[in-house]
Amino acid sequence: MITLEHVTKQYPGTEVAAVDDLSLHIPEGMTVALIGPSGCGKTTTMRMINRLVDPTSGKVLVNGEDVTQVDPVLLRRHIGYVIQQVGLFPHMTIAQNIAAVPKLLRWDKARIARRTEELLHLVGLDPGQMLERHPAQLSGGQRQRVGVARALAADPPVLLMDEPFGALDPIARSLLQAEFRQILRRVRKTVVLVTHDLDEATRLGDRIAIMKSGRIVQYDTPNVVLSHPADAFVEHFVGVDRALVRLSLFTAGDAMTAELPPRKTGVVGIDSNLRDALALMVAANSDVLGVVDEFGALKGRLTREAIFSI
């Protein structure tokens, strides 16, 4: 869906390229997280995809088409864009904000109304309470949800996200990340996510591209990046606690056995990640937990040994 071929971006008056001979291929339906230290070129890379920035050299292809040969306004109407500051129009209602791009595409009113309600349900908001409100009447988490809904309004094949949850408190951010992952499973978009948060990159990304000085130094699955860093820079960047971060990639269901736990032991949900399960074990001073399904039925046991062996 998205291909960057030997792309360089050199800003006038600078000696060092913001992006330096970068090549990257993102298959359709995949979520790729661009991550790296400040100034590594991740945001510039993403902005070249929808022509907020034009490359100095090289090619950026979306669905096989060179973006520099497409009218930038038309291009952006078919690429969803979510930013940290949300960017909702303050004088418009939530319904009008979500309808902005569909109206430009000349959708009829009935279709726009159906799509608006559908998207509010998708992001966990009640249309009956939200449609006529203005952004100032919403919490930060609610505004971010509306921002995601607006980006999805015209059903674009590509979604770009620039630090989308960075302004939220840790609890709201974790909740929205989990919900957004569920949304992506249902709508199947090709997503490019810029983030500085390794937990967010591993939680949302099917692939992670770690950048340094305008180049990609490792591009692989979160599991491979965390378990086999490509070099000393990546190893330092992912940190000494990368083994704990890696545990968040797996669930209790991945490591449990069918054997039932002893009585009076704590329990964990079958879809809970192993990092949270380990924290529960430590808090309970226990080496074993029961594993229950969504209905609370006991399915097996999870041991500390099984967690560390995965």
Side-chain angles (χ1 to χ4, degrees):
M1 178 59 72
I2 301 172
T3 301
L4 285 77
E5 298 178 349
H6 301 288
V7 172
T8 294
K9 178 59 183 179
Q10 182 92 40
Y11 288 103
T14 61
E15 296 182 1
V16 179
V19 175
D20 185 13
D21 193 30
L22 183 147
S23 294
L24 175 67
H25 176 65
I26 303 174
E28 183 178 0
M30 182 175 289
T31 297
V32 170
L34 303 180
I35 187 169
S38 297
C40 69
K42 54 186 183 290
T43 296
T44 300
T45 299
M46 187 194 70
R47 289 180 174 179
M48 285 191 285
I49 295 171
N50 68 347
R51 291 196 66 189
L52 289 176
V53 173
D54 281 331
T56 305
S57 61
K59 284 187 177 182
V60 178
L61 307 173
V62 175
N63 201 23
E65 191 169 20
D66 187 341
V67 298
T68 61
Q69 304 304 309
V70 181
D71 181 278
V73 175
L74 294 177
L75 175 72
R76 291 170 199 147
R77 289 179 186 174
H78 294 88
I79 296 178
Y81 194 40
V82 184
I83 59 176
Q84 179 176 319
Q85 297 82 6
V86 185
L88 299 178
F89 303 117
H91 61 289
M92 290 185 178
T93 65
I94 301 310
Q96 290 168 335
N97 266 280
I98 295 173
V101 173
K103 284 185 69 176
L104 291 172
L105 296 175
R106 301 185 184 280
W107 288 18
D108 64 67
K109 291 182 179 180
R111 184 184 180 190
I112 291 175
R114 287 195 304 270
R115 182 63 173 166
T116 300
E117 290 201 16
E118 173 190 339
L119 287 168
L120 285 174
H121 283 301
L122 184 68
V123 298
L125 296 174
D126 181 357
Q129 297 182 9
M130 293 292 166
L131 285 173
E132 298 307 315
R133 292 190 185 185
H134 287 77
Q137 297 173 287
L138 274 56
S139 68
Q142 289 172 327
R143 287 195 296 271
Q144 199 66 59
R145 291 168 190 264
V146 174
V148 172
R150 187 179 65 177
L152 293 171
D155 199 20
V158 173
L159 188 62
L160 306 181
M161 308 186 76
D162 191 359
E163 302 277 6
F165 311 119
L168 302 177
D169 65 80
I171 294 176
R173 182 164 65 245
S174 179
L175 178 63
L176 275 181
Q177 288 168 350
E179 291 185 356
F180 184 68
R181 186 164 183 83
Q182 293 299 320
I183 289 170
L184 288 181
R185 288 174 180 170
R186 296 198 293 270
V187 300
R188 184 172 169 78
K189 302 294 179 186
T190 305
V191 182
V192 180
L193 167 72
V194 167
T195 181
H196 67 279
D197 184 340
L198 183 62
D199 276 333
E200 182 167 273
T202 56
R203 188 173 297 172
L204 297 180
D206 299 308
R207 298 285 188 276
I208 298 177
I210 297 186
M211 296 185 65
K212 174 188 177 184
S213 302
R215 296 190 173 191
I216 293 174
V217 291
Q218 187 166 7
Y219 179 47
D220 217 315
T221 64
N223 187 31
V224 170
V225 170
L226 293 170
S227 56
H228 301 290
D231 59 18
F233 170 80
V234 177
E235 185 173 13
H236 176 74
F237 183 80
V238 298
V240 295
D241 63 344
R242 65 181 184 274
L244 283 176
V245 177
R246 180 176 172 270
L247 289 181
S248 65
L249 303 175
F250 302 94
T251 68
D254 294 325
M256 76 174 194
T257 63
E259 184 181 3
L260 296 181
R263 293 183 177 182
K264 296 184 179 180
T265 188
V267 296
V268 67
I270 196 169
D271 291 327
S272 298
N273 71 66
L274 291 183
R275 187 177 181 180
D276 291 342
L278 180 61
L280 185 59
M281 283 183 178
V282 172
N285 193 26
S286 173
D287 290 326
V288 61
L289 293 172
V291 180
V292 296
D293 64 17
E294 59 183 311
F295 304 107
L298 195 60
K299 307 303 289 185
R301 72 159 66 185
L302 176 67
T303 65
R304 194 176 299 212
E305 180 182 7
I307 290 176
F308 286 125
S309 65
I310 200 162

